[in-house]
Coordinates of all heavy atoms in Angstrom, one line a residue:
V158 N 10.7 8.7 11.2 CA 11.9 7.9 11.7 C 12.1 6.7 10.7 O 13.2 6.4 10.3 CB 11.6 7.3 13.1 CG1 12.7 6.3 13.5 CG2 11.6 8.5 14.1
S159 N 11.0 6.0 10.3 CA 11.1 4.9 9.4 C 11.7 5.4 8.0 O 12.6 4.7 7.4 CB 9.8 4.3 9.1 OG 9.3 3.7 10.3
V160 N 11.2 6.5 7.5 CA 11.7 7.0 6.3 C 13.2 7.4 6.4 O 14.0 7.1 5.5 CB 10.8 8.2 5.8 CG1 11.5 8.9 4.6 CG2 9.4 7.8 5.5
A161 N 13.5 8.1 7.5 CA 14.9 8.5 7.7 C 15.9 7.3 7.8 O 17.0 7.3 7.3 CB 15.1 9.4 8.9
E162 N 15.4 6.2 8.4 CA 16.2 5.0 8.5 C 16.5 4.4 7.2 O 17.5 3.9 6.9 CB 15.5 4.0 9.4 CG 15.5 4.4 10.9 CD 14.7 3.5 11.8 OE1 13.9 2.7 11.3 OE2 14.9 3.6 13.0
M163 N 15.5 4.5 6.3 CA 15.7 4.0 4.9 C 16.6 5.0 4.1 O 17.5 4.5 3.4 CB 14.4 3.8 4.2 CG 13.6 2.6 4.7 SD 12.1 2.3 3.8 CE 10.9 3.5 4.4
A164 N 16.4 6.2 4.3 CA 17.1 7.3 3.6 C 18.6 7.2 3.8 O 19.4 7.5 2.9 CB 16.5 8.6 3.9
V165 N 19.0 6.9 5.1 CA 20.4 6.8 5.3 C 21.1 5.7 4.6 O 22.3 5.7 4.5 CB 20.8 6.8 6.8 CG1 20.3 8.1 7.5 CG2 20.3 5.6 7.5
M166 N 20.3 4.7 4.1 CA 20.9 3.7 3.3 C 21.4 4.2 2.0 O 22.3 3.7 1.4 CB 19.9 2.5 3.1 CG 19.4 2.0 4.4 SD 20.6 1.4 5.5 CE 20.6 -0.3 5.1
M167 N 20.7 5.3 1.5 CA 21.1 6.0 0.3 C 22.1 7.1 0.5 O 23.1 7.2 -0.2 CB 19.9 6.7 -0.4 CG 19.0 5.8 -1.2 SD 17.8 6.8 -2.1 CE 17.1 7.9 -0.9
W168 N 21.8 7.9 1.5 CA 22.5 9.1 1.8 C 23.3 8.9 3.1 O 23.0 9.4 4.1 CB 21.6 10.3 1.9 CG 20.8 10.6 0.6 CD1 21.3 10.6 -0.7 CD2 19.4 10.8 0.5 NE1 20.3 10.8 -1.6 CE2 19.2 11.0 -0.9 CE3 18.4 11.0 1.4 CZ2 17.9 11.3 -1.3 CZ3 17.1 11.3 1.0 CH2 16.9 11.4 -0.4
D169 N 24.3 8.1 3.0 CA 25.0 7.6 4.3 C 25.9 8.7 4.9 O 26.5 8.5 6.0 CB 25.8 6.3 4.0 CG 26.9 6.5 2.9 OD1 27.0 7.6 2.4 OD2 27.5 5.5 2.7
S170 N 26.0 9.9 4.3 CA 26.7 11.0 4.9 C 25.8 11.7 5.9 O 26.3 12.7 6.5 CB 27.3 11.9 3.9 OG 26.3 12.5 3.1
H171 N 24.6 11.3 6.0 CA 23.6 12.0 6.9 C 23.3 11.0 8.0 O 23.4 9.8 7.9 CB 22.4 12.4 6.2 CG 22.6 13.4 5.1 ND1 22.7 14.7 5.3 CD2 22.8 13.2 3.8 CE1 23.0 15.3 4.2 NE2 23.0 14.5 3.2
S172 N 22.7 11.6 9.1 CA 22.2 10.7 10.2 C 20.7 10.6 10.2 O 20.1 11.4 9.5 CB 22.6 11.3 11.6 OG 21.9 12.5 11.8
V173 N 20.2 9.6 10.8 CA 18.7 9.4 10.9 C 18.1 10.7 11.5 O 17.1 11.2 11.0 CB 18.4 8.2 11.7 CG1 16.9 8.1 12.0 CG2 18.8 6.9 11.0
E174 N 18.7 11.2 12.6 CA 18.1 12.3 13.3 C 18.1 13.6 12.4 O 17.1 14.3 12.3 CB 18.9 12.6 14.5 CG 18.3 12.8 15.8 CD 16.8 12.6 16.0 OE1 16.4 11.4 16.1 OE2 16.0 13.5 16.0

Side-chain angles (χ1 to χ4, degrees):
V158 170
S159 296
V160 171
E162 287 172 347
M163 289 185 281
V165 296
M166 303 305 263
M167 275 190 312
W168 300 315
D169 59 3
S170 64
H171 298 279
S172 70
V173 170
E174 229 10 77

